[in-house]
Amino acid sequence: MVGCSRGSLPTWMTAAAARVDLSAGVTPSHQGSSSPSPSSSGPAPAAGADQELGMFERALSAAGAAFVSAIIVNPLDVAKTRLQAQAAGVLYHQPAQMAALGPDAILSEFRCSPSCTRGLVLGSEPVCPPDCFQYKGTLDVFLKVVRQEGFSRLWRGTNAGLALAVPTVGIYLPCYDIFRNGIEDFTRSNAPGLTPYVPLVAGSVARSLACIACSPIELARTRMQAYKEFRPGVKPPGMWKTLVGVLSPLASSSQNVQNYRVLWTGVGAQLARDVPFSAICWSTLEPIRRKLLGLVGEEGNAASVLGANFAAGFVAGSLAAGATCPLDVAKTRRQIEKDTEKAMRMTTRQTLTEIWRSGGMKGLFTGVGPRVARAGPSVGIVISFYEVVKYALHQRHTS
């Protein structure tokens, strides 16, 4: 596959990059030892740096990566969710109050920029008509959220995003590493022709486990980002209150255990989105990363290898995000549904059909811009940061 020695590259990076080899022969070498030739046969030895780390250390590396990524890309997540929620019929103004506007009316939800040519000045506040609260694109979401709600609202749901990202990626990346290493060792010995498909299988299984475990937090984050708090001076509900609000309509029912299923509303659509996302992402990322590391060759250092991981993650994440956007729209549509019984009754296929009928192809790809803009750097940051922390932990081991 890559016809150069990786002995000069850091083992913390080459371990992951070289384990899936289309020729089933090139394996990462330990410092000071030579690599087997591409024509060598038989099972490849485990990569030292990758195998020495335990589950806790892998999870720690991944959680740190998720923490950094979630904070940086959260505004894009808010923009994507607002666009998808608006397409689903969520209003970002209160039309009932517009008819009662007067000197004593509460106008904060209609606050407008003084430069708006359509605004009216009532009292001391410039206010806009309802159609000024329609989002027209990603940049328009940013401008209107900052103008109408404040700059900090671009990070609405960050606490839920962190609560989601840390356990999700803390499960996802370590499990991917472990599944990939184990399945790879098996295929090299028993079915070398299947080795190139290992990232696809390992990524899909790891992502499924992470999605099921963290689906309630994803539900809370989506609702927190989708809905606008209209009451001035009132702090919008946090993650816990949002989840309690989801359960409240079912509180009077006697089937308490079954009622908690509502917290997993949309998990089918989430799996339908994330499993293909993971399969596409890892199947794209691993070959690109190996090619870039091959170009770096023996001249590589930590910075160049870090750049190879970020570039591979950026490309893979962007492609996977674009391909799975319709399923992301379906997940958002199901999770913001106010009618709990309808949300639990709807299937992903029915939701996609409903979106197609109401909005066609444009409806299925609502929010694709911010989704792709978010996923590319997010995957790049997570992969790069994950490998850096793994490297630091490996250095601690060796010292």
Side-chain angles (χ1 to χ4, degrees):
M1 175 67 187
V2 177
C4 67
S5 169
R6 289 190 178 89
S8 63
L9 294 179
T11 58
W12 56 281
M13 195 62 78
T14 57
R19 287 191 61 81
V20 183
D21 200 323
L22 295 174
S23 64
V26 178
T27 59
S29 62
H30 296 281
Q31 294 281 346
S33 63
S34 60
S35 299
S37 65
S39 60
S40 63
S41 59
D50 208 37
Q51 299 285 357
E52 285 175 5
L53 295 178
M55 182 67 176
F56 174 76
E57 290 167 316
R58 294 175 193 274
L60 181 64
S61 304
F67 187 90
V68 173
S69 174
I71 293 174
I72 292 174
V73 302
N74 195 79
L76 287 164
D77 216 27
V78 170
K80 178 210 63 144
T81 305
R82 289 284 179 102
L83 289 170
Q84 292 177 349
Q86 177 178 265
V90 174
L91 295 176
Y92 289 102
H93 62 91
Q94 290 183 320
Q97 289 191 5
M98 183 59 80
L101 287 179
D104 300 321
I106 298 174
L107 303 176
S108 62
E109 62 269 28
F110 297 102
R111 185 172 56 208
C112 188
S113 169
S115 62
C116 180
T117 57
R118 304 184 61 206
L120 301 173
V121 177
L122 295 178
S124 60
E125 284 280 342
V127 296
C128 275
D131 55 340
C132 278
F133 292 83
Q134 293 289 311
Y135 300 128
K136 299 177 179 65
T138 304
L139 185 60
D140 195 47
V141 175
F142 290 158
L143 293 174
K144 287 178 178 176
V145 168
V146 171
R147 187 178 66 208
Q148 297 163 7
E149 303 171 56
F151 186 75
S152 63
R153 289 300 175 87
L154 289 175
W155 276 266
R156 175 81 173 122
T158 300
N159 58 343
L162 293 174
L164 171 70
V166 171
T168 297
V169 183
I171 295 168
Y172 176 37
L173 288 181
C175 286
Y176 171 76
D177 266 356
I178 291 168
F179 292 154
R180 182 200 62 206
N181 293 343
I183 298 172
E184 227 174 73
D185 290 339
F186 177 81
T187 57
R188 285 185 187 279
S189 302
N190 300 282
L194 298 178
T195 303
Y197 304 101
V198 169
L200 186 149
V201 176
S204 299
V205 175
R207 192 66 188 179
S208 298
L209 293 176
C211 283
I212 293 170
C214 301
S215 184
I217 307 175
E218 172 71 20
L219 173 67
R221 181 180 69 162
T222 301
R223 291 200 168 208
M224 290 169 71
Q225 291 177 339
Y227 293 114
K228 177 181 176 182
E229 180 56 58
F230 288 105
R231 291 171 295 176
V234 177
K235 186 178 179 181
M239 183 177 66
W240 178 251
K241 285 188 176 181
T242 300
L243 290 176
V244 170
V246 173
L247 289 171
S248 294
L250 302 173
S252 59
S253 175
S254 58
Q255 297 180 325
N256 289 327
V257 175
Q258 288 214 359
N259 290 342
Y260 285 101
R261 286 173 46 228
V262 74
L263 296 179
W264 276 264
T265 298
V267 69
Q270 189 179 346
L271 284 169
R273 177 199 68 177
D274 285 359
V275 172
F277 178 95
S278 184
I280 295 168
C281 185
W282 287 111
S283 298
T284 307
L285 186 149
E286 292 282 11
I288 294 175
R289 177 162 61 176
R290 288 198 307 274
K291 287 285 187 183
L292 292 175
L293 288 173
L295 293 175
V296 170
E298 297 184 5
E299 303 300 321
N301 53 29
S304 59
V305 178
L306 189 66
N309 272 270
F310 181 84
F314 187 94
V315 173
S318 299
L319 289 174
T324 57
C325 186
L327 294 161
D328 183 63
V329 175
K331 179 205 73 86
T332 301
R333 182 73 62 96
R334 292 190 64 191
Q335 290 186 331
I336 64 173
E337 175 60 56
K338 290 288 191 180
D339 186 340
T340 304
E341 291 187 4
K342 180 183 176 182
M344 295 178 69
R345 200 170 53 243
M346 288 284 285
T347 65
T348 302
R349 182 178 177 180
Q350 289 172 331
T351 306
L352 287 170
T353 302
E354 184 180 280
I355 295 168
W356 172 262
R357 286 173 180 168
S358 62
M361 188 63 71
K362 184 179 179 181
L364 289 174
F365 284 89
T366 302
V368 66
R371 174 166 166 77
V372 170
R374 174 197 181 281
S378 178
V379 173
I381 291 167
V382 167
I383 294 298
S384 303
F385 192 92
Y386 179 54
E387 297 295 346
V388 167
V389 179
K390 277 171 64 177
Y391 168 69
L393 293 171
H394 175 61
Q395 290 296 93
R396 192 192 69 182
H397 271 296
T398 55
S399 62

